[in-house]
Structures are given as structure tokens and as C-alpha cells.
Amino acid sequence: MTVFTAAFSAVAITAAQDLFEIVAPANSRIRLLEIDIGQYTDFGDAAAEIIPLTMFRGHTVSGSGGSSVTPANVSPYGRAAGATVEANNTTVATTSGVLIWSTAWHIQAGFIWRPPEDMEMDPFRRQIVLQPSQRFVIRIGAPIDSITTNGTVLFEEMGKAPVS
């Protein structure tokens, strides 16, 4: 099991978009470990915004208008990622996606998502896992005005899917 990060920095966001689109490799699964999103241009009370933030699994049509991100292995001696990652797609992914998480991001506080760390339960319960070749999308609604953002997603490539 190998851990990777994918990040973007100093991106001005003015419209709804897929902050990240991750596609698992054809031969292994992915487990999401952390999502961290923040902005650093709107801090006054008058600039306070709460933006819808949703996560989807399974879209079959990729988004566009963003950029490819090369995932970085957390270990300096590790292999390259098998997953593909895009960031800041202004044309969002579509078709057959399943909404698996819906919340709101108060832009002055930032947003961090991590699965629960309860060692008493099954480690894969309440975690987001992607099957081989499955797509995962983190989407935000449009801000009122432009915000400059950073974002990082931390994920683990876990090897072949179990046979049922």
C-alpha cells in the first residue's frame, strides 16, 4: 500500500468546479485518507461565504477545463502513482455518479475531511474506497466573488480488489 498526495496552489476560483477528479488505476483500489481545502483572499465579515461541497463516486464522463496533476509519493523512494488526477475542472464530470457526501465549506475556516479513526471498527467501514478504474470527484459551488485557493488530497493505492 502506497500513499500519494495531489495538490494545487494559488488557483483563483470564480465558478463552480471539480476541485479534484481522481481515477483509480485499472489494477488497484484507492482509499481516500484526507482532503484539505483552503483559501487566503477573503477574510472580512462582509466576505464570509459558505459554499456547497459535494463528493461523487462513479461518474463515467470526465470533466475538463482544469489541469492534470502528477501525484507525489509520500515516500521519496517510492513508485509512481497508477491513479490519474485532474484539478480545477470548470466543466464538471457527469453521467451516473453517486452522491456520497454533501456538506458546506465556510471559506474563512477551511475544509478538512478525514475518515474516523476508530480502531474498534472495521478499518474500511465509513471510508471512501474506489474500485479499479472508478472515478471520484470533489466539487464546490460557485463563490460570490473570486477566491484564491490551495487544495490537497491524500490517498492510498491498495492493490487488487478482493474477489467475491
Side-chain angles (χ1 to χ4, degrees):
M1 294 187 245
T2 308
V3 176
F4 298 93
T5 64
F8 64 86
S9 177
V11 173
I13 294 178
T14 59
Q17 63 181 257
D18 290 344
L19 293 178
F20 287 103
E21 178 180 309
I22 303 168
V23 179
N27 61 354
S28 67
R29 298 168 296 150
I30 285 180
R31 178 170 51 156
L32 275 297
L33 302 174
E34 182 174 293
I35 300 165
D36 187 343
I37 302 162
Q39 66 83 33
Y40 53 91
T41 51
D42 282 5
F43 287 104
D45 288 342
E49 294 182 53
I50 298 174
I51 299 173
L53 189 143
T54 51
M55 298 179 208
F56 295 88
R57 181 174 47 209
H59 283 304
T60 56
V61 177
S62 178
S64 62
S67 59
S68 293
V69 176
T70 301
N73 193 318
V74 172
S75 168
Y77 303 105
R79 65 174 176 80
T84 58
V85 180
E86 295 177 359
N88 308 109
N89 282 340
T90 53
T91 300
V92 299
T94 60
T95 313
S96 305
V98 175
L99 176 65
I100 59 173
W101 199 277
S102 183
T103 188
W105 168 34
H106 190 296
I107 66 167
Q108 292 176 331
F111 176 82
I112 296 177
W113 176 89
R114 289 185 193 107
E117 294 185 26
D118 186 346
M119 297 311 235
E120 298 296 317
M121 69 167 57
D122 176 357
F124 293 102
R125 189 173 167 202
R126 294 176 41 188
Q127 295 193 15
I128 298 173
V129 177
L130 306 180
Q131 298 172 356
S133 301
Q134 194 170 44
R135 180 173 280 111
F136 176 74
V137 172
I138 303 161
R139 181 173 297 158
I140 64 166
I144 293 170
D145 57 354
S146 181
I147 56 174
T148 303
T149 60
N150 292 343
T152 302
V153 63
L154 183 73
F155 63 92
E156 177 179 38
E157 290 186 0
M158 302 189 311
K160 294 185 179 180
V163 177
S164 56

